Amino acid sequence: MEGTEITTAYNSGFFHFNDDSSAGNNTANGNVKYMTDTSFSYYNNTPELVRNTDFGSYEKTSDDPLTVKYTITADAVWSDGVPIDETDMLLQWAAMSGNVNEAFSPAASTGYSLVTETPETGDKEITFVYDEPYVDWELVGPLGVSAHGTYALAFPDEYSDVQAAYDTWKDSGEEADFTKYTDAAKKFAETAKEKVTDAITSGDEEVLAALGDAWSNAYGYTTLPDSPAAALTSGPYIVDDIVEDQYISIAANPLYTWGTSPKFEKITVRTIADSTTALQALESGELDIWSGQPTADILQLANEIDTATVQTGVQASHEHVDLTVNNGGPFDPATYGGDEAKALAVRQAFLKTIPRQEIVDKIIKPLNPEAEVRNTNLVSQADVERYPILTETNGSADYAEVDIDGAKALLAEAGVTGPVEVGFWYPEGNVRRGQEYELISASAALAGFQLVDESEPDWVFTDPSVEPINPHDATLFAWSQTSLAVGGSDQIYACYDDPMAKGGNYNAFCSEEVTEALHTLNVTSDYDTQTDLLEQAEAGIWADAVTLPIFQFPGLLVNSDKVTEVKEMPLSPDYFWNFWEWTPVGAGAE
């Protein structure tokens, strides 16, 4: 990896190092974490699940009860030299399961929540015993942020010796000072890990509350953190530099030995929301790989770059509009004195105005002529067996076409007079979503809805520690599919009594029937029964008119002639999936 660097781009910037937390659950963060961390498995672009045997192993040792044992087989260490072990995996269970302390705010607890008994641990081993047979057990990977790093963030005074050694090394750059830093970190970790384990196994609420707060919130930053504890990595790269709203750079981890070493010494991920700007940077040699949310003009511009390779396809992400039902806005029953029926009518009326077919025809079909409006929340058109079944029964036919007269009639019947003001959020600078907003705004106005543009570059509404209640009445974004899991949709569509543990349910949708169906789906292996549960959940989501799917993402991946082995991937983390295979042109030449 001598001296080789590469520059990539994503349409939004890094802001949180713990993408397992509710506050950090964002693709921009996940891309960076994917390249700096190690896991027990990953998806290739077939896609199929690949076990990472260079790092460790996992095996199902019992079906009744479902029991899975994880073992770290490599001599793997965190980027400060501290061994990766059972305490790190125990903390991940404690944080993700929701069974230890409410201070932990995970993005999702699916799967982990079924392990209610504290797991047994051994030397670099942990065993999960499930209360029920979790259908997607192979996708549970018990390793996230470091245990000793999280303890350091929770109790910084105890970390002062390590911090001092780190600061000395950063000032000098000497290898001897790096050794002193790692020695200090190892000494600290011995006690810190013991305290983490004791707190989890004994239920020490004071320590757990501090750990939970640190795990959920202390990893959020947009400049390089002062404490190395906030950026400890378990994979081939370490965080090297961050400039807010501009880029994050990661550099080779000198301690990484347990896996294939990437061919680039340094990777910079620039934040470029505007697709035209990104392609201009690629054409001028300032950028090497880009994938975004293209328009027809962008595809044409990409094809005109002589030095670029262009790949197109269909991604697993899907665009949708969510309506918030608890913020005192037009879709909240509280606005109408608690009248659920009136609020439902207003939501139905608004969704009837969204010009989904026009959006697909004008924005998506020029990129994918076969594109169609998506009419399900829980499966995509790629599921050729279940998609037709769900669309036949879920109620999507009520929104097949724009129905302005129907929307007006619903508002009139509910006694709601216009204009109905709707605060509408979408990521500022995203050209495609700006175009969608304009089409939606124009159509909704015909029925008496006045959209207020609340676009901004930040995704603050997804962070419950900052905004427990989403202030926006409607939000336009995409769900990025990261796996081929059958279950897991409860993180988005299940009820959450505590808004601090809402996962991906940013609009406060709550249906007990949907929740029960999705929870049951998580522990159901029979295919036909799974389909029945998906039908029930789909119908319940559509009946409450809280969200509307629009289209499946068209994929556009462009790379310069300076790098090869860049391969399209339908699942998140998109083209980053095989970063270790990226090869600089001319590498190895004599």
Side-chain angles (χ1 to χ4, degrees):
M1 292 197 296
E2 293 185 7
T4 55
E5 298 184 12
I6 190 170
T7 301
T8 71
Y10 193 69
N11 56 41
S12 58
F14 170 90
F15 61 88
H16 207 290
F17 196 65
N18 185 3
D19 65 327
D20 286 325
S21 68
S22 184
N25 182 29
N26 184 281
T27 303
N29 302 323
N31 293 340
V32 174
K33 288 292 286 178
Y34 181 81
M35 293 187 288
T36 57
D37 280 354
T38 294
S39 61
F40 283 91
S41 63
Y42 66 93
Y43 274 97
N44 63 19
N45 65 339
T46 301
E48 60 185 2
L49 193 66
V50 179
R51 296 194 179 206
N52 182 9
T53 55
D54 288 337
F55 173 68
S57 64
Y58 59 92
E59 61 175 330
K60 182 170 64 172
T61 60
S62 172
D63 284 310
D64 188 18
L66 174 62
T67 305
V68 183
K69 181 179 180 180
Y70 298 85
T71 304
I72 298 172
T73 56
D75 292 327
V77 298
W78 294 100
S79 51
D80 61 355
V82 173
I84 304 170
D85 62 17
E86 65 277 7
T87 307
D88 301 302
M89 295 189 285
L90 184 64
L91 176 65
Q92 182 73 347
W93 166 79
M96 298 294 287
S97 70
N99 296 323
V100 176
N101 189 280
E102 293 182 354
F104 293 99
S105 182
S109 60
T110 304
Y112 288 96
S113 63
L114 295 173
V115 183
T116 56
E117 294 296 322
T118 303
E120 292 186 3
T121 58
D123 182 18
K124 300 204 293 186
E125 295 178 348
I126 193 168
T127 300
F128 285 2
V129 180
Y130 290 81
D131 295 347
E132 298 180 77
Y134 179 46
V135 65
D136 294 313
W137 64 269
E138 275 204 85
L139 301 180
V140 175
L143 186 64
V145 292
S146 66
H148 70 289
T150 303
Y151 185 88
L153 295 172
F155 301 99
D157 290 345
E158 299 181 33
Y159 193 64
S160 58
D161 289 347
V162 185
Q163 184 69 55
Y166 172 80
D167 291 340
T168 298
W169 167 59
K170 293 302 288 185
D171 287 340
S172 73
E174 297 293 331
E175 185 175 345
D177 287 329
F178 178 74
T179 300
K180 290 178 181 179
Y181 158 55
T182 58
D183 286 344
K186 293 172 187 176
K187 182 178 179 180
F188 166 80
E190 290 179 5
T191 301
K193 290 197 175 195
E194 183 178 342
K195 290 181 178 179
V196 170
T197 299
D198 288 347
I200 294 172
T201 55
S202 68
D204 187 326
E205 294 299 326
E206 183 177 352
V207 175
L208 287 173
L211 288 172
D213 181 63
W215 188 91
S216 304
N217 303 311
Y219 288 98
Y221 48 81
T222 52
T223 57
L224 200 63
D226 293 330
S227 173
L232 296 176
T233 70
S234 59
Y237 287 103
I238 58 173
V239 178
D240 184 59
D241 191 20
I242 310 174
V243 176
E244 184 174 4
D245 297 328
Q246 294 187 39
Y247 66 82
I248 180 170
S249 292
I250 57 178
N253 178 1
L255 301 181
Y256 180 74
T257 59
W258 51 97
T260 303
S261 293
K263 298 176 177 63
F264 286 94
E265 176 76 19
K266 184 175 181 180
I267 298 176
T268 296
V269 183
R270 290 180 57 185
T271 303
I272 306 179
D274 183 76
S275 301
T276 300
T277 301
L279 289 178
Q280 289 172 341
L282 195 144
E283 187 172 24
S284 66
E286 300 171 32
L287 189 64
D288 298 299
I289 309 175
W290 172 81
S291 179
Q293 296 176 22
T295 62
D297 292 340
I298 294 303
L299 176 59
Q300 180 178 346
L301 182 59
N303 284 325
E304 290 174 351
I305 301 176
D306 295 335
T307 57
T309 298
V310 178
Q311 300 177 53
T312 59
V314 179
Q315 295 182 322
S317 303
H318 81 273
E319 194 87 327
H320 68 283
V321 172
D322 283 353
L323 308 184
T324 307
V325 299
N326 69 334
N327 68 343
F331 308 125
D332 182 356
T335 301
Y336 312 103
D339 192 330
E340 298 275 357
K342 182 174 289 191
L344 174 61
V346 177
R347 295 197 299 269
Q348 291 172 330
F350 183 74
L351 295 186
K352 282 181 176 292
T353 71
I354 296 179
R356 296 192 297 159
Q357 189 63 59
E358 184 180 12
I359 289 172
V360 170
D361 289 345
K362 290 184 175 180
I363 302 176
I364 306 305
K365 279 194 173 182
L367 301 162
N368 175 17
E370 306 301 318
E372 297 179 353
V373 169
R374 172 164 164 156
N375 284 310
T376 55
N377 298 290
L378 303 176
V379 304
S380 72
Q381 288 104 322
D383 190 334
V384 294
E385 293 186 10
R386 284 174 169 154
Y387 185 81
I389 295 174
L390 268 58
T391 54
E392 184 177 349
T393 60
N394 64 5
S396 59
D398 293 339
Y399 305 94
E401 298 178 357
V402 171
D403 184 3
I404 301 301
D405 290 338
K408 288 180 177 179
L410 282 167
L411 293 176
E413 291 171 12
V416 176
T417 56
V420 179
E421 189 173 288
V422 177
F424 197 102
W425 180 93
Y426 61 94
E428 181 182 339
N430 187 303
V431 175
R432 191 165 80 192
R433 287 189 174 133
Q435 294 174 346
E436 291 178 61
Y437 170 79
E438 294 299 331
L439 293 174
I440 295 171
S441 180
S443 181
L446 300 176
F449 290 98
Q450 180 180 337
L451 268 59
V452 178
D453 188 335
E454 295 180 349
S455 60
E456 58 186 359
D458 300 321
W459 297 64
V460 181
F461 73 93
T462 67
D463 184 352
S465 67
V466 179
E467 292 183 345
I469 296 177
N470 186 349
H472 309 292
D473 302 321
T475 53
L476 174 69
F477 62 103
W479 290 122
S480 297
Q481 188 175 337
T482 60
S483 74
L484 301 181
V486 174
S489 294
D490 50 348
Q491 68 168 301
I492 301 172
Y493 301 109
C495 297
Y496 289 87
D497 296 328
D498 179 3
M500 293 299 290
K502 65 183 180 180
N505 186 347
Y506 305 129
N507 61 340
F509 165 62
C510 183
S511 164
E512 297 294 345
E513 293 77 12
V514 171
T515 298
E516 182 178 357
L518 292 177
H519 284 341
T520 305
L521 179 65
N522 291 334
V523 295
T524 300
S525 57
D526 179 74
Y527 183 88
D528 291 337
T529 305
Q530 289 175 353
T531 304
D532 290 341
L533 291 166
L534 286 166
E535 279 192 273
Q536 294 172 33
E538 270 286 334
I541 295 169
W542 283 87
D544 272 11
V546 292
T547 186
L548 193 67
I550 305 177
F551 58 81
Q552 207 71 32
F553 265 35
L556 176 60
L557 174 59
V558 187
N559 64 272
S560 75
D561 57 5
K562 298 177 183 178
V563 57
T564 62
E565 301 304 315
V566 180
K567 301 175 183 179
E568 187 186 25
M569 164 66 148
L571 301 174
S572 183
D574 200 349
Y575 67 86
F576 293 101
W577 78 271
N578 71 327
F579 65 89
W580 61 91
E581 293 181 341
W582 297 348
T583 304
V585 172
E590 297 183 2

